[in-house]
Amino acid sequence: MCGIVGYIGKQPCVDLLIGGLRRLEYRGYDSAGVAIMDGGTTRILRSQGKLNNLTKLVAQEKPVGTLGIGHTRWATHGRPSEQNAHPHKYGSAAVVHNGIIENHAQLRSQLQSAGHKFSSETDTEIVAHLIDDEIKAGKGAEAAVRATLAKLEGAYAICVLIDGVSDTMIAARHDAPLIVGVGDGENYVASDVPAILNLTRDMIFLEEGEIATVTTEQIAISDLAGNPIDRPPQRILWDAMMAEKGGHKHFMLKEIHEQPRAVTDTIRDRLSPSKADAYIDGFEADPANVRKLFLVACGTSWHAALVGKFLIESLAKIPVEVDLGSEFRYRDPLVTDSDLFVAISQSGETADTLAALREAKRKGARVLSVVNVVGSTISRESDGTVYTHAGPEIGVASTKAFTTQLSALILLAIHLGRRSGALDEARAGELITDLLQIPEQMKSVLDHEATINVIARRYATARDFLYLGRGINYPIALEGALKLKEISYIHAEGYPAGEMKHGPIALIDEQMPVIVLAPRGSGYEKIISNLSEVRAREGKVIAIASRGDASIGDLVDDLIQIPDVRPELQPLLTVLPLQLLAYRIADIRGTDVDQPRNLAKSVTVE
Ligand code: F6R
């Protein structure tokens, strides 16, 4: 999401920092800043918008110093603005941070009660306050950072400078990547390899709960308790483009593999297992006053909306209508001021979804949005927003945005269900416990990439594909077909399995691969009948089934297994093999996976 870079050495550092930030530009960002140690005090320069704004500011202000940290922000807490840009400085401590401090609200109110005044809306600023308190209490720089980290919950990669300590920068990580680059008489810190790849190829990858105290000559790594850790640097041989993609061939593949992290970030600080509840920041819905929900979106986000209908109707028992942004306002929809309109959009800028939102508002509906890009138009025009913390999605074909949208919709369904009384504490508790297991289960599906590669090679030359699903997995069939079409240019259709005999069955012959979503659950027997109908007509069946389903293997040509989870959570797993399959087939066919022909990432025209 955000990017961090740090330098300590003998060279003037500001241009090196800006260069590092520029190399992280592909991640997209909304503000940037640097802190430069100048005569024992850090000087902070920050600006909203593109990096060029910061470059201009730096050219005017000409900060000097050979120790500095820099940051590009991709907003998660607090809108994009200069005030919310990093570094955040309080007293003696200047901090840059990637990740989410989950207990920030609680720490902020404790600090406010002790008289602290805050100048930003970010979760990061509390870290500077806490470190400064420790310094004032007499601790040294490293001890102050260590004591602060012990109070933080959530994910962080941080880099810290402290006034009066001109020979050290301190970096630490927990659940967010951080690298220390090894130079000759100079050293570097970065969130990502590409930021410093032009300066060094020797990198130490910090692990969870580690702190690095970095001077010009030394890199001392220790754990949170202060035990020293000896870790030699690794030599990175990737080229610059490869490094931006985290070693993957395409952004899409990188983003597919980021999904366990993205889903964790989306659900983590919004669930209370002890209260069996889910929270939507800044938005309380009273289901007693909600007649109907409208879920409106385009493309992949519309598929998330279709899953959302199943979730909300089943868990909250509130009627849901799903609409395409491009259709909604042309059919004079019957929206009233007792309705809740939910816009779902990765970019937050899709013109049709935005126009639908405006139409619903005009008719008096309350508007909530599920959006990935903080500060985007759809989020600004909504009464409340559930941000999906997917991080910037660069590949045109949406992957991690989709699974984070599904996660956000599960949160919304639990939130509404608990308040409507339809979801009792026991069922909500079980669902939350299972949801918290999902990121690990996603990893286990992604680990079986090799099986999918074999299947991809077998069917890469097919002319058409059919995707079948039922119930909550029917939208996943649509999504699987869309992914394949977009990036491989193979014609593919998603269909509700029960509808196959009303038409598409005529297409089936020995040339036609049919992907069947057949995890355990209600409708399982019916889907087995559907796949038998395909087999009887010589179609090739590739099934996505629950691990432990001993009998399905005999009925299909190819089998991809996923963990056996409750139906509400299945789409988070069933979609993963379909993303990987589309990716592999496209790669085999040699298409431009990240920028498929005729497509744009954000469709801002109607
Ligand atoms: C498909 C894809 C598109 C988008 C659609 C809506 O992979 O990415 O179908 O889902 O253009 O975009 P957002 O979610 O930004 O409104």
Side-chain angles (χ1 to χ4, degrees):
M1 291 205 233
C2 306
I4 288 177
V5 60
Y7 174 86
I8 185 162
K10 297 186 183 66
Q11 305 185 54
C13 67
V14 69
D15 288 346
L16 291 171
L17 295 178
I18 299 276
L21 298 179
R22 177 123 8 246
R23 273 181 288 281
L24 296 175
E25 214 167 10
Y26 68 95
R27 298 158 61 99
Y29 46 80
D30 50 57
S31 55
V34 290
I36 311 285
M37 187 65 80
D38 183 0
T41 309
T42 50
R43 207 170 150 201
I44 310 287
L45 296 170
R46 306 183 295 191
S47 61
Q48 191 185 338
K50 297 245 178 227
L51 191 58
N52 280 347
N53 299 348
L54 179 66
T55 314
K56 280 186 207 139
L57 184 66
V58 159
Q60 261 167 34
E61 298 292 324
K62 302 187 177 50
V64 282
T66 59
L67 167 59
I69 53 180
H71 188 267
T72 59
R73 177 166 187 256
W74 204 81
T76 55
H77 283 76
R79 76 210 134 82
S81 67
E82 190 195 323
Q83 263 178 344
N84 287 336
H86 300 210
H88 287 282
K89 184 166 184 182
Y90 185 81
S92 59
V95 178
V96 290
H97 163 229
N98 288 355
I100 298 167
I101 309 289
E102 279 169 30
N103 57 340
H104 69 99
Q106 183 198 341
L107 290 170
R108 182 184 274 254
S109 67
Q110 282 166 7
L111 287 160
Q112 278 166 334
S113 316
H116 284 247
K117 297 262 178 302
F118 283 81
S119 55
S120 77
E121 303 159 303
T122 63
D123 51 341
T124 305
E125 194 187 341
I126 55 135
V127 182
H129 287 244
L130 291 170
I131 295 175
D132 185 58
D133 270 4
E134 300 290 350
I135 297 281
K136 288 207 176 95
K139 289 208 172 71
E142 189 185 309
V145 172
R146 203 181 294 286
T148 297
L149 297 183
K151 296 180 188 150
L152 305 182
E153 287 167 22
Y156 56 75
I158 60 166
C159 195
V160 181
L161 298 184
I162 295 184
D163 287 355
V165 186
S166 304
D167 60 353
T168 309
M169 68 181 160
I170 300 171
R173 81 160 265 179
H174 183 262
D175 270 353
L178 203 60
I179 301 155
V180 183
V182 184
D184 184 10
E186 56 185 27
N187 289 310
Y188 328 94
V189 168
S191 52
D192 303 76
V193 171
I196 53 173
L197 197 62
N198 63 321
L199 300 171
T200 181
R201 289 192 166 265
D202 295 323
M203 315 228 181
I204 302 174
F205 290 82
L206 293 186
E207 290 188 0
E208 301 312 333
E210 290 183 350
I211 300 178
T213 302
V214 184
T215 65
T216 50
E217 300 297 338
Q218 256 201 335
I219 298 163
I221 300 176
S222 54
D223 65 16
L224 276 186
N227 302 307
I229 290 164
D230 188 20
R231 173 148 337 106
Q234 283 180 38
R235 180 140 276 229
I236 301 295
L237 299 173
W238 303 339
D239 64 30
M241 250 341 248
M242 191 81 172
E244 287 177 4
K245 293 167 189 157
H248 294 289
K249 189 169 172 191
H250 294 101
F251 283 111
M252 183 182 175
L253 188 59
K254 172 173 178 257
E255 288 160 4
I256 288 173
H257 283 279
E258 278 174 352
Q259 292 179 100
R261 193 272 310 146
V263 167
T264 304
D265 285 352
T266 303
I267 60 177
R268 164 158 65 187
D269 56 355
R270 291 168 169 156
L271 285 173
S272 167
S274 60
K275 296 199 176 105
D277 207 354
Y279 303 100
I280 308 296
D281 351 327
F283 192 87
E284 263 304 313
D286 177 3
N289 298 327
V290 178
R291 182 189 71 113
K292 194 193 241 186
L293 263 96
F294 287 86
L295 303 185
V296 178
C298 297
T300 287
S301 301
W302 179 69
H303 298 154
L306 293 173
V307 175
K309 176 180 168 75
F310 279 90
L311 293 167
I312 294 166
E313 291 193 338
S314 135
L315 299 175
K317 304 283 179 233
I318 304 173
V320 177
E321 232 176 85
V322 177
D323 232 310
L324 288 159
S326 52
E327 291 289 329
F328 181 77
R329 83 206 129 99
Y330 298 111
R331 66 172 176 88
D332 195 16
L334 298 176
V335 182
T336 70
D337 55 9
S338 315
D339 296 328
L340 179 60
F341 178 96
V342 183
I344 306 171
S345 173
Q346 185 286 128
S347 60
E349 301 295 347
T350 299
D352 285 319
T353 309
L354 179 61
L357 178 156
R358 288 177 178 157
E359 173 69 5
K361 267 183 115 168
R362 202 180 61 75
K363 293 193 156 165
R366 227 173 139 206
V367 172
L368 178 69
S369 56
V370 175
V371 165
N372 194 36
V373 179
V374 176
S376 53
T377 312
I378 289 178
S379 68
R380 286 201 313 273
E381 297 197 13
S382 303
D383 299 311
T385 301
V386 191
Y387 284 113
T388 52
H389 296 312
E393 195 176 59
I394 314 268
V396 164
S398 190
T399 52
K400 61 178 181 168
F402 179 66
T403 42
T404 55
Q405 287 166 347
L406 296 182
S407 311
L409 289 165
I410 296 172
L411 298 176
L412 180 61
I414 296 174
H415 180 85
L416 293 170
R418 293 295 284 134
R419 279 147 196 78
S420 71
L423 185 60
D424 65 30
E425 191 175 336
R427 188 164 166 224
E430 283 165 19
L431 185 57
I432 290 171
T433 306
D434 289 357
L435 177 57
L436 290 167
Q437 307 294 320
I438 283 286
E440 278 308 311
Q441 292 168 320
M442 292 176 101
K443 276 188 206 160
S444 80
V445 177
L446 296 171
D447 282 347
H448 286 84
E449 218 178 322
T451 316
I452 293 157
N453 294 350
V454 172
I455 299 174
R457 274 197 292 279
R458 196 168 294 150
Y459 298 106
T461 54
R463 208 191 54 180
D464 308 280
F465 268 79
L466 192 59
Y467 287 69
L468 301 177
R470 296 188 87 105
I472 200 164
N473 282 301
Y474 153 54
I476 302 305
L478 297 180
E479 175 60 7
L482 179 64
K483 286 287 91 86
L484 187 72
K485 274 186 274 213
E486 285 184 291
I487 59 172
S488 74
Y489 316 145
I490 296 176
H491 167 248
E493 275 191 61
Y495 240 81
E499 281 290 296
M500 187 182 63
K501 53 188 167 301
H502 299 288
I505 200 163
L507 297 171
I508 292 172
D509 61 16
E510 68 287 355
Q511 306 294 330
M512 175 74 103
V514 182
I515 312 245
V516 183
L517 294 155
R520 280 212 192 99
S522 81
Y524 175 79
E525 274 74 26
K526 296 226 159 55
I527 205 119
I528 295 295
S529 313
N530 299 137
L531 69 81
S532 307
E533 288 156 16
V534 173
R535 284 281 293 239
R537 285 155 187 86
E538 314 263 307
K540 299 280 174 287
V541 174
I542 303 154
I544 318 288
S546 305
R547 234 167 250 158
D549 179 344
S551 52
I552 196 166
D554 298 334
L555 306 175
V556 302
D557 296 276
D558 294 280
L559 180 63
I560 299 169
Q561 293 180 311
I562 58 161
D564 194 2
V565 297
R566 62 177 64 237
E568 294 92 329
L569 305 180
Q570 282 172 359
L572 284 162
L573 301 181
T574 48
V575 75
L576 303 179
L578 306 191
Q579 295 170 343
L580 281 172
L581 188 67
Y583 170 77
R584 277 295 161 213
I585 290 179
D587 191 34
I588 291 166
R589 291 168 73 106
T591 60
D592 187 347
V593 171
D594 283 331
Q595 286 174 330
R597 67 184 182 206
N598 308 339
L599 294 176
K601 185 71 193 156
S602 176
V603 185
T604 52
V605 289
E606 288 177 24

